[in-house]
Amino acid sequence: MKGRMIILDHINDMEAAARLVDGKLDDLLIDHADGPRPGAIFRGICDRPIKGQGGMMLRLPDGETAFLRQGKGLRAGQALLVQVTGYAEDGKAVPVTDRVLFKSRYAIVTPGKPGLNISRQITDEDTRDALLAVAHEVYEGAHGLILRSSCDGADATEIADDILAMAALADAVLADATGTTPEALTEGDGPHALAWRDWTGAATVVTEAGSLDAHGVLEQIGALSNPMVPLGEGTMYVEPTRALVAVDVNTGGDTSPAAALKANLAAARALPRALRLRGLAGQISVDFVSISKAHRKQVEQSLRAAFKSDPIETSLVGWTPMGLFELQRKRERAPLPGTLTRGI
């Protein structure tokens, strides 16, 4: 099975989307029953400040609570438009931001940040000029507008329709920003909408029910319950704990002088996919095979190259005094539920 394929289906009545590259599962989105989706927009009500952190707790509908990291100048009882930035850990408030974005396949509308910008990934000047012409023809709103890299080669009418749809949504939500009670204003995109929005490369799209099973995706999802990731140049174990995600790299049976570096470079290339498919984020600590400090730079360069194309924001923090490498990854996805990886 060569090429790229996107499968839109359901698992246990939950919406799911899978992206395969040459038959191998490359990305996976599964809806989550608990808590609001990332991207959902609420009118929250400020509840109480968190002294020492500068944040603010907010009330959301249905008894949910949210945490806004920057709460300076806010007062209790004040209504505030906020957007969910990720999934909440067990027992913690929903993380939100007051910098609300309206994002679709081609356009991002940015209230409070005026100006028209085009993705830097589009470098051809004629293409940029044509996109500017499309935007100026249909959009005169007060909000900012960003045209995404997916606009390159896209139909001008589809881009224009996307701009207008996001602008209309922004106007409607902002008009409902004031009030005395918390309210859900948008629910956030589910897996199928996210796949359409973000998986923009050429691919065969399959929507028939049962396609995940028919194309072997359920079997690959089931294999994710095993923490071991074969590397070809050794093995890597990816295991989440309460505090962090622990990653252990081993050389296997290779005892050659170059074995450690080869295993570490293979692990660096495989790590983004391993985290992405399992929905793992937060603090990540990697115990690479011991190597010289001269070789550490090669491993770090390989990590940077691997995470550059990963869709989830990840900061490479660096090496600890004990030789571990630490990363910080945004919690945009919920961890893959164990019920999906057992008994499929």
Side-chain angles (χ1 to χ4, degrees), residues 120-337:
R120 294 178 182 177
Q121 295 181 38
I122 300 177
T123 57
D124 181 76
E125 289 301 324
D126 290 340
T127 301
R128 295 178 68 88
D129 289 343
L131 291 174
L132 283 172
V134 171
H136 284 304
E137 183 178 350
V138 300
Y139 185 66
E140 296 179 354
H143 315 306
L145 176 66
I146 300 172
L147 296 183
R148 305 181 67 195
S149 59
S150 53
C151 291
D152 193 3
D155 182 78
T157 301
E158 291 184 5
I159 296 172
D161 289 345
D162 214 29
I163 293 172
L164 292 173
M166 288 300 98
L169 179 60
D171 288 338
V173 169
L174 292 173
D176 207 11
T178 57
T180 58
T181 58
E183 183 177 348
L185 303 179
T186 72
E187 64 178 8
D189 290 333
H192 292 180
L194 285 173
W196 173 81
R197 191 186 84 183
D198 294 333
W199 296 348
T200 56
T204 301
V205 179
V206 180
T207 59
E208 289 82 4
S211 295
L212 289 174
D213 189 17
H215 291 276
V217 177
L218 296 185
E219 183 179 349
Q220 294 189 56
I221 294 174
L224 296 174
S225 62
N226 187 344
M228 188 188 78
V229 179
L231 300 173
E233 305 290 350
T235 55
M236 176 173 69
Y237 289 81
V238 180
E239 299 178 280
T241 71
R242 175 73 179 178
L244 51 79
V245 177
V247 180
D248 182 41
V249 184
N250 301 289
T251 58
D254 190 347
T255 58
S256 66
L261 181 58
K262 288 194 296 183
N264 288 342
L265 292 176
R269 292 189 294 268
L271 185 58
R273 175 180 176 271
L275 297 172
R276 187 166 65 239
L277 294 182
R278 292 167 173 80
L280 299 177
Q283 182 178 325
I284 300 158
S285 185
V286 186
D287 184 10
F288 285 110
V289 184
S290 296
I291 51 175
S292 67
K293 289 188 176 180
H295 284 156
R296 285 185 179 182
K297 188 172 183 180
Q298 288 181 253
V299 173
E300 191 168 349
Q301 288 173 339
S302 184
L303 279 169
R304 291 190 185 282
F307 278 101
K308 186 176 182 180
S309 59
D310 189 76
I312 300 174
E313 181 182 332
T314 304
S315 299
L316 306 187
V317 180
W319 300 92
T320 71
M322 293 184 66
L324 304 176
F325 193 90
E326 292 186 332
L327 306 92
Q328 187 70 35
R329 188 170 173 86
K330 191 174 180 181
R331 297 184 186 276
E332 289 188 3
R333 301 180 184 180
L336 188 65

Side-chain angles (χ1 to χ4, degrees), residues 4-5 17-29 199 217 220 272-278 309-311 333:
R4 295 176 181 269
M5 176 182 289
R19 183 176 65 190
L20 282 72
V21 178
D22 297 334
K24 183 179 180 180
L25 185 60
D26 182 68
D27 205 351
L28 178 67
L29 301 169
W199 296 348
V217 177
Q220 294 189 56
R273 175 180 176 271
L275 297 172
R276 187 166 65 239
L277 294 182
R278 292 167 173 80
S309 59
D310 189 76
R333 301 180 184 180

Side-chain angles (χ1 to χ4, degrees), residues 98-115:
D98 58 354
R99 298 176 181 178
V100 176
L101 300 176
F102 298 85
K103 185 176 181 180
S104 190
R105 185 179 179 95
Y106 301 115
I108 303 175
V109 170
T110 58
K113 290 187 176 182

